[in-house]
Structure formats: C-alpha cells, structure tokens
Amino acid sequence: MSKQNKSLPTSFFIVIARFVWKSLWQLMMSQLAPNEKGSYNRPSSQFLHQINSYSDSIYTLEADRYCLYVGLSCPWAHRTLMVRTLKGLENSIEVKMVIPSVNQGGWIMEELSENCQTLRQLYQLSQPNYQGRCTVPVLWDKTTKTIVNNESSEIIIILNSQFNQFATNAELNLYPDDLKLSIDSWNEKIYHHVNNGVYRCGFAQTQSTYEDACNSLFSVLDDIEANLLNNRYLCGDRLTLADIRLFTTLIRFDIVYYSLFKCSLKSIDSYSNLSRYVKDIDNLSAIKDTYDLKVIQKDYFGNLFPLNPSGIIPLS
Ligand SMILES: N[C@@H](CCC(=O)N[C@@H](CS)C(=O)NCC(=O)O)C(=O)O
C-alpha cells in the first residue's frame, strides 16, 4: 500500500498566508505611504528657505554654490532637472545623483558626497536631529552645508527666477506675471488629481479610495485633453511651470503608473492631444537628457516591493 503524505487543509495555508501578508503589507505601506482612512497622504516638505540677492539673506546668489540632489526615477526631482536645463543653468548649479537602496529603503549617494553615503546623512548634516522623510529633490548649499529647500514646486520657482544672471537662457520665463493665475489654477488641479493622484491610486488601501482617486485622475486628464485641442501648452502658446509639472508625470504614465499604480482606465498614448503634447515637450532642446525610461521602470518596479513583490518589470 502506498504511503500518502498527510497535508494540512489548503484553507489553513490560505488564511495564515493572507493574515501574515496583509499585516506585513500594512506595516510596510504605513512607512512608505502614510494613509488616512485608506487614502494616501503625501508628507509635507520641511525645508522651505529661499535664495535671493538681499545681503542679509543666509542664502545669497552665487554661481556654483548650490547643488541639486536628485534621483532619476523621481518625477518631483525631474521637474528641477527640466527647469535647470531649459534655463541653461548647467554650469552654475551642479547635480548629484542618488539611487534607491533596495534593502535599506531610502536613497543612497551614487558617489560619496559631503562625506555622506546616504541622503539621510546629508539631511542630518543640515539638521542633526532630523527624523522625517528624506526626499529628493534637495537644493543644497555647499557653503553652509545646509538644505535650502526640499520642495520641488518651490525649487523650480527659485531656478526660474533667481539665477538669471548666470543662466544662458535667461529670457525664458516659465512663470510670467500675466499667466500666474492660470498657471496656479492648473497646478492646483494637476497636483492633487494627477501628480499626486497617480500615487493616490497606487497607494490606496481600500477599493473606494482607489476608485475615487482613479476617477478624478481620468476626469482631469479628460479636461486637459479638451484644453489641448486648441492650445499648444496648458496656458496657451507659451511653455510654463504648469507644463513642466505635468510632463514629468505623463512621461512615466504608460510605462509605470498604468500598471503598477492601476491607473488603467486609459493610456496617455490613447489620448491624441495629450500624446502630441508629451512629444512636443519631449522634443524641446535637451529634455530627453533629463530622464531615462529604463531607470524609471527599474526603480519603480524594483523598489516598491509591497506593490510588486516579484520585482518583475512588465514588457512594453
Ligand atoms: N515634497 C516633495 C516630494 C518629493 C518626494 O516625495 N520624493 C520621493 C521620490 S519620488 C522621495 O524622495 N521619497 C523618499 C521617502 O519618502 O522616503 C517635492 O515635491 O519635492
């Protein structure tokens, strides 16, 4: 008579595996993406200083004094690289790369910088007891060894307006007075529903918070599609900071957010005006040098472990 292995009932494994995985997932997500009632809340930035030419300011205007720390996959950091490139600030503002650490979480320096191996060490050099999130982009002051600003929406305004005396394309104004109202109103809508909206889809912890985020994301994309029927850019025929802020999300959309974050009602490619708009901005001088699609895919799919435990990168 053949001996039969006694196995535990399948349901036992399923219940245990579900319980363990769900508890671990919730723990990891609470670190990665703070949630309130199942809905993702982006933590606010902590360093909000300005650079200007007033002599009593700590952060005065100088070429080669400030440096940007960026990670290539990050859409918020990408904004700052785009403005630096468009304004022609490559020779006055240095860029240093950080890369995601698969095992420790957080960012590590591509090369030792300010004697720091990690971005957290850099934050703590600036503020020794700093315990908050260590995000990119960081606008760093090499003279005082402190963080000037770590909020991308502010850094791009600083780069657009304060460094004109060193910029090779100083005449380009991405935030002109006569368009400010229109730029601010697009920014408000796009930040919440698109830039952060894709994260609200991906990091949602309940079906209803996901559906709310996903429906509002696509409703705003539909509005933008309609607006672009008669306009080259969001605010007319001039490229502005609103376009920069939208572009960095759109260029990542079909290759990452569509599948990893379940932003799957439509692809950007299927919107005729939006896809024309992305190509148009992409073809501006040197914009293609500000990002790398392979790195973007590898970082998102490889590092957001709770959303993609196998680390598999989908083919596209
Ligand atoms: N408020 C920031 C958000 C930047 C941000 O969330 N960056 C992400 C990368 S895409 C980050 O560095 N996350 C690391 C962390 O939260 O620990 C900005 O817009 O500058």
Side-chain angles (χ1 to χ4, degrees):
M1 243 176 70
S2 69
K3 244 178 140 188
Q4 275 199 330
N5 284 336
K6 259 196 165 175
S7 62
L8 286 165
T10 328
S11 63
F12 175 79
F13 287 116
I14 293 175
V15 170
I16 297 284
R18 275 218 169 126
F19 174 76
V20 171
W21 171 245
K22 197 167 178 195
S23 311
L24 269 176
W25 183 71
Q26 281 174 343
L27 183 72
M28 284 187 284
M29 289 298 280
S30 67
Q31 298 297 309
L32 178 73
N35 261 254
E36 230 171 67
K37 296 193 188 121
S39 173
Y40 171 59
N41 260 341
R42 183 169 291 279
S44 56
S45 303
Q46 304 295 313
F47 298 85
L48 299 172
H49 305 291
Q50 295 295 316
I51 294 176
N52 53 51
S53 43
Y54 309 131
S55 55
D56 60 346
S57 161
I58 316 174
Y59 301 116
T60 52
L61 206 56
E62 279 171 54
D64 203 29
R65 170 169 168 180
Y66 302 98
C67 155
L68 278 171
Y69 285 87
V70 297
L72 273 190
S73 48
C74 172
W76 318 95
H78 188 188
R79 299 168 164 189
T80 66
L81 287 179
M82 285 182 75
V83 176
R84 172 179 175 266
T85 295
L86 290 165
K87 292 288 290 191
L89 289 168
E90 292 90 337
N91 294 329
S92 21
I93 296 178
E94 197 184 351
V95 165
K96 296 202 175 172
M97 294 291 172
V98 296
I99 46 178
S101 154
V102 183
N103 294 326
Q104 297 165 33
W107 297 102
I108 51 177
M109 301 290 179
E110 196 172 60
E111 283 171 13
L112 193 71
S113 177
E114 302 286 6
N115 227 5
C116 298
Q117 282 170 332
T118 66
L119 191 66
R120 180 160 295 281
Q121 288 167 350
L122 191 83
Y123 268 71
Q124 290 179 339
L125 186 60
S126 177
Q127 189 176 301
N129 296 319
Y130 185 78
Q131 294 299 336
R133 301 301 286 255
C134 298
T135 57
V136 286
V138 166
L139 182 60
W140 176 257
D141 177 14
K142 295 190 268 185
T143 303
T144 60
K145 306 219 178 293
T146 55
I147 295 175
V148 181
N149 202 302
N150 71 338
E151 172 50 50
S152 62
S153 58
E154 295 200 358
I155 299 174
I156 56 178
I157 294 180
I158 297 173
L159 299 185
N160 176 60
S161 58
Q162 298 298 340
F163 285 87
N164 280 333
Q165 68 189 90
F166 310 115
T168 57
N169 196 9
E171 60 285 359
L172 176 74
N173 184 359
L174 296 163
Y175 195 36
D177 286 340
D178 60 322
L179 292 181
K180 266 187 183 157
L181 276 181
S182 162
I183 296 171
D184 290 348
S185 121
W186 276 116
N187 283 348
E188 177 69 25
K189 199 163 161 176
I190 289 172
Y191 170 75
H192 191 68
H193 299 289
V194 182
N195 303 138
N196 203 35
V198 293
Y199 286 87
R200 287 171 53 239
C201 293
F203 293 155
Q205 291 198 14
T206 65
Q207 182 69 31
S208 69
T209 53
Y210 160 71
E211 284 184 15
D212 287 349
C214 195
N215 285 326
S216 73
L217 162 67
F218 282 93
S219 143
V220 171
L221 289 177
D222 290 346
D223 290 351
I224 299 171
E225 172 74 1
N227 177 60
L228 292 176
L229 182 62
N230 299 314
N231 293 301
R232 180 172 179 193
Y233 298 120
L234 283 171
C235 303
D237 56 2
R238 279 176 285 169
L239 180 80
T240 68
L241 290 182
D243 299 299
I244 309 292
R245 293 166 51 133
L246 177 59
F247 177 83
T248 67
T249 297
L250 295 184
I251 197 78
R252 287 160 175 74
F253 201 100
D254 290 359
I255 58 158
V256 173
Y257 304 141
Y258 182 90
S259 52
L260 186 67
F261 286 177
K262 306 184 186 81
C263 301
S264 43
L265 285 177
K266 286 186 208 168
S267 64
I268 297 302
D269 203 38
S270 68
Y271 282 101
S272 56
N273 303 327
L274 270 167
S275 51
R276 183 272 303 156
Y277 167 83
V278 172
K279 284 195 195 99
D280 196 0
I281 298 178
D282 198 29
N283 283 330
L284 296 173
S285 167
I287 288 303
K288 286 193 177 68
D289 299 338
T290 62
Y291 67 90
D292 182 331
L293 293 181
K294 286 257 170 305
V295 173
I296 292 173
Q297 269 202 316
K298 183 172 139 295
D299 282 4
Y300 272 94
F301 284 97
N303 291 292
L304 291 179
F305 171 80
L307 297 184
N308 189 35
S310 67
I312 290 170
I313 302 173
L315 296 176
S316 50

